[in-house]
Amino acid sequence: VQPPEKPLQAEEWNRLRESFQSPEIFEEVMFNSMVRCNSPIDVAKSLLTHVAKRNGDIAYNLLVKYLALCVQQGQTSEIRDVYDIMKIRFRVLESGAYNLLIRGLSNSDQWRMALTLLEEVKKIMIPSRTNYESCIKAASRHQEMNLAFELYHEMLAKDLVPTLDVLQAFFDFSRGMKGAELQKELFGILLYLRENQIYPHKTFMRSIKLWFESIPGGNWRGHLTSIKDSGQCPVCNHQLEDSDLTEEEYNNLRERIIRDVIHGTDTFRKTSPQEFEAFQKFVEDRFPFDIVIDGLNVSHIKPRKMQCENLFDAVNCLAKDNARLLVLGRKHMLVNSSNWKREIMKEMQNKADFFFAENISEDDAFLLYATLRSGKHCKFVTRDFLRDHKACLSDSLTRHLFRKWQLIYHVKPKKMFLSVFIQQPALCYDCVVQTTGDTWHIPYKDTFEEKYSYRVPRKWLCIQQK
């Protein structure tokens, strides 16, 4: 449906409606089309008035569509009017309407109203990330940084993951501002990037650099550089943190993972304590292993190939150099089927130890336990990122150690050639945000990546205080 270019009279709307193949959904289709074509507000308003006169009121979904058009065009007074109508007519609004209202008002001079709406949302549900971020950006834009950070911390406490966009906004809007507290908050964001192994993209990195250089009396200078293979920064000659774990860190990590992840709350939901005990005994009798493989996960790597063949290729590839392998499988793999051929399974069992768990078990805890029990040399193979388990770890230092360990000991199978397993080039320095107090080193990527990536950046921002 092509929306009209100017407002229509009632009889003109009626004629259009009658010529439409499904008159009962005419208004809905028309409003969708108006949003898509960004029609003038007075055209949409004339349809709304026509519906109100004909039906005596306007349905909720039509009001939301009209609201979307108003938000799209930044029509603040219209947004307020729609909100007033909705508040009188409907006791509670759903999240879609609240998202639009908060977004629309936070971009206007009525931005404080968005904060009132955020409070309203909190009474009935957990506000969405966009709700918070709209309000944070509005507060930052009006230099109300304390308020912006208050909302940011509230958001983190609700386990909402901020976008890089909102984190960048903090640096953009704090430029040239004084205050030790503000500085502490922004350093906190940089440490958040470190803890979560987040690499800012080029424009975000520039915002960080400009903010440092704008701190009144701060004397910070930023330079873009590449770190030498030795881990030394060519700009300030500072040696970056070592990428490998010391024996003490490794033992610490092992104890923590066994306590928080393996015996914590998330294991026995999908495996029984009896099965896990049997697995521990199995490992004790046979360790140390060199490589632990998540069998089911690896067996899906090439969808057109038989699962047991995928796994067979992986075992063959990894069994070179007489490595001791442990494959974590499921009991259904032992049943002869189109995906699991008995003779191939037998042949694999000559090259690797196999542990077959119940079909409903979760492999990750088994994978972590066997790898960590085998010692510091042992690597593990899975296509999973193990994010959930990292989240189960109770403190940021352990999460940092887990990430470092994962970077070195996690082998990722590649889709195209199973004979090739991606292993990180063993960098001797740790690729995360680092600071000594008077220097900061921030790894960054050229482009924005929404997806979590294992590729570590080779470009760095070095910032030092003169």
Side-chain angles (χ1 to χ4, degrees):
V1 182
Q2 200 52 40
E5 283 171 19
K6 56 184 200 320
L8 302 183
Q9 297 301 319
E11 56 275 15
E12 294 173 295
W13 281 122
N14 279 333
R15 267 202 303 280
L16 269 183
R17 188 175 195 263
E18 279 151 25
S19 64
F20 187 65
Q21 66 236 38
S22 315
E24 68 285 357
I25 56 162
F26 168 75
E27 284 83 7
E28 200 166 323
V29 174
M30 181 55 84
F31 269 116
N32 285 342
S33 186
M34 286 179 178
V35 171
R36 203 172 49 249
C37 302
N38 203 18
S39 295
I41 281 294
D42 56 354
V43 175
K45 218 171 176 177
S46 80
L47 177 56
L48 217 53
T49 311
H50 167 61
V51 172
K53 281 182 182 160
R54 191 188 68 218
N55 300 347
D57 66 3
I58 302 162
Y60 182 87
N61 64 331
L62 293 185
L63 277 173
V64 172
K65 288 179 197 300
Y66 176 65
L67 179 60
L69 187 65
C70 298
V71 170
Q72 200 167 288
Q73 298 183 8
Q75 303 272 357
T76 312
S77 63
E78 285 300 311
I79 295 170
R80 288 206 58 163
D81 289 350
V82 175
Y83 175 54
D84 290 339
I85 294 167
M86 289 180 119
K87 214 165 48 174
I88 294 162
R89 294 239 347 255
F90 311 102
R91 205 165 52 83
V92 176
L93 311 182
E94 43 69 64
S95 58
Y98 277 122
N99 281 343
L100 285 167
L101 288 164
I102 290 174
R103 194 171 89 222
L105 292 165
S106 62
N107 284 325
S108 74
D109 54 355
Q110 312 267 311
W111 66 278
R112 286 192 185 276
M113 235 189 113
L115 299 173
T116 313
L117 280 172
L118 183 67
E119 290 307 314
E120 208 173 291
V121 174
K122 282 186 214 168
K123 289 177 190 151
I124 44 177
M125 59 182 121
I126 291 183
S128 68
R129 166 165 81 179
T130 17
N131 292 161
Y132 273 108
E133 296 201 341
S134 298
C135 293
I136 288 171
K137 283 184 188 165
S140 305
R141 228 184 339 258
H142 293 86
Q143 304 282 285
E144 300 229 4
M145 299 315 292
N146 290 349
L147 173 59
F149 275 109
E150 204 178 297
L151 292 167
Y152 167 69
H153 290 300
E154 205 176 283
M155 178 180 170
L156 291 183
K158 289 185 164 63
D159 285 330
L160 296 167
V161 178
T163 58
L164 293 190
D165 189 38
V166 84
L167 297 180
Q168 185 182 335
F170 279 116
F171 288 91
D172 286 338
F173 292 118
S174 303
R175 214 172 286 168
M177 286 173 82
K178 262 199 174 96
E181 197 49 45
L182 176 70
Q183 228 175 90
K184 197 174 136 199
E185 288 282 16
L186 289 154
F187 287 164
I189 290 180
L190 295 175
L191 296 174
Y192 174 85
L193 298 180
R194 171 190 171 91
E195 196 178 305
N196 293 283
Q197 196 191 340
I198 296 167
Y199 303 123
H201 46 81
K202 204 185 252 172
T203 50
F204 184 6
M205 175 277 295
R206 285 207 186 102
S207 296
I208 295 170
K209 180 178 183 289
L210 290 170
W211 171 72
F212 266 103
E213 293 174 344
S214 79
I215 297 172
N219 290 331
W220 291 94
R221 277 289 156 269
H223 297 274
L224 307 189
T225 186
S226 297
I227 301 297
K228 294 177 186 170
D229 288 342
S230 63
Q232 193 184 40
C233 170
V235 178
C236 65
N237 296 324
H238 181 74
Q239 186 67 31
L240 294 192
E241 292 170 34
D242 192 1
S243 64
D244 206 355
L245 276 65
T246 62
E247 284 296 332
E248 190 187 348
E249 285 176 330
Y250 182 82
N251 293 333
N252 222 328
L253 177 68
R254 180 168 63 192
E255 278 167 34
R256 271 309 175 70
I257 287 184
I258 287 173
R259 192 192 74 193
D260 290 358
V261 177
I262 294 169
H263 296 315
T265 51
D266 78 334
T267 313
F268 299 131
R269 278 186 214 145
K270 290 186 185 159
T271 179
S272 67
Q274 293 78 1
E275 183 181 44
F276 200 72
E277 263 168 48
F279 175 67
Q280 283 176 297
K281 185 175 182 327
F282 175 92
V283 171
E284 292 305 314
D285 292 346
R286 291 167 180 79
F287 86 106
F289 300 104
D290 298 312
I291 301 172
V292 182
I293 303 167
D294 182 345
L296 193 61
N297 180 289
V298 169
S299 75
H300 286 287
I301 192 155
K302 284 186 177 173
R304 289 193 188 87
K305 225 173 170 184
M306 224 192 296
Q307 282 174 257
C308 62
E309 284 184 352
N310 279 333
L311 186 55
F312 187 61
D313 289 350
V315 167
N316 271 344
C317 168
L318 295 164
K320 289 176 188 141
D321 312 322
N322 297 321
R324 290 206 56 213
L325 310 184
L326 167 61
V327 180
L328 300 171
R330 299 287 172 84
K331 287 193 172 158
H332 72 258
M333 295 176 176
L334 293 167
V335 180
N336 205 22
S337 66
S338 59
N339 257 318
W340 299 101
K341 296 285 175 239
R342 192 164 283 148
E343 59 278 15
I344 297 180
M345 289 303 292
K346 275 216 171 76
E347 203 177 326
M348 268 195 273
Q349 283 167 276
N350 294 330
K351 300 190 176 198
D353 280 302
F354 271 75
F355 181 86
F356 296 98
E358 292 295 340
N359 295 326
I360 52 160
S361 299
E362 190 61 80
D363 304 35
D364 294 352
F366 292 88
L367 184 78
L368 291 171
Y369 181 81
T371 308
L372 288 159
R373 186 70 189 93
S374 293
K376 204 167 163 232
H377 70 288
C378 184
K379 293 181 158 58
F380 62 98
V381 182
T382 178
R383 295 182 304 158
D384 280 351
F385 286 129
L386 305 180
R387 278 206 205 82
D388 296 349
H389 300 290
K390 185 171 139 191
C392 283
L393 295 165
S394 52
D395 63 292
S396 60
L397 176 65
T398 314
R399 284 195 292 274
H400 178 65
L401 292 178
F402 183 76
R403 186 199 52 69
K404 271 176 86 167
W405 173 70
Q406 200 179 354
L407 207 59
I408 300 168
Y409 297 100
H410 186 171
V411 182
K412 278 75 61 184
K414 234 181 186 171
K415 235 191 194 95
M416 277 74 74
F417 318 101
L418 236 174
S419 56
V420 184
F421 279 81
I422 325 166
Q423 269 184 268
Q424 284 294 345
L427 294 174
C428 71
Y429 55 90
D430 195 9
C431 204
V432 280
V433 172
Q434 322 190 356
T435 181
T436 59
D438 57 357
T439 68
W440 283 85
H441 288 91
I442 299 164
Y444 69 92
K445 295 202 164 178
D446 275 333
T447 51
F448 169 70
E449 283 179 9
E450 181 62 70
K451 282 183 77 171
Y452 188 85
S453 163
Y454 267 112
R455 283 200 306 279
V456 293
R458 305 309 297 260
K459 296 181 171 183
W460 289 72
L461 166 65
C462 163
I463 301 169
Q464 50 182 153
Q465 199 167 25
K466 290 283 187 239

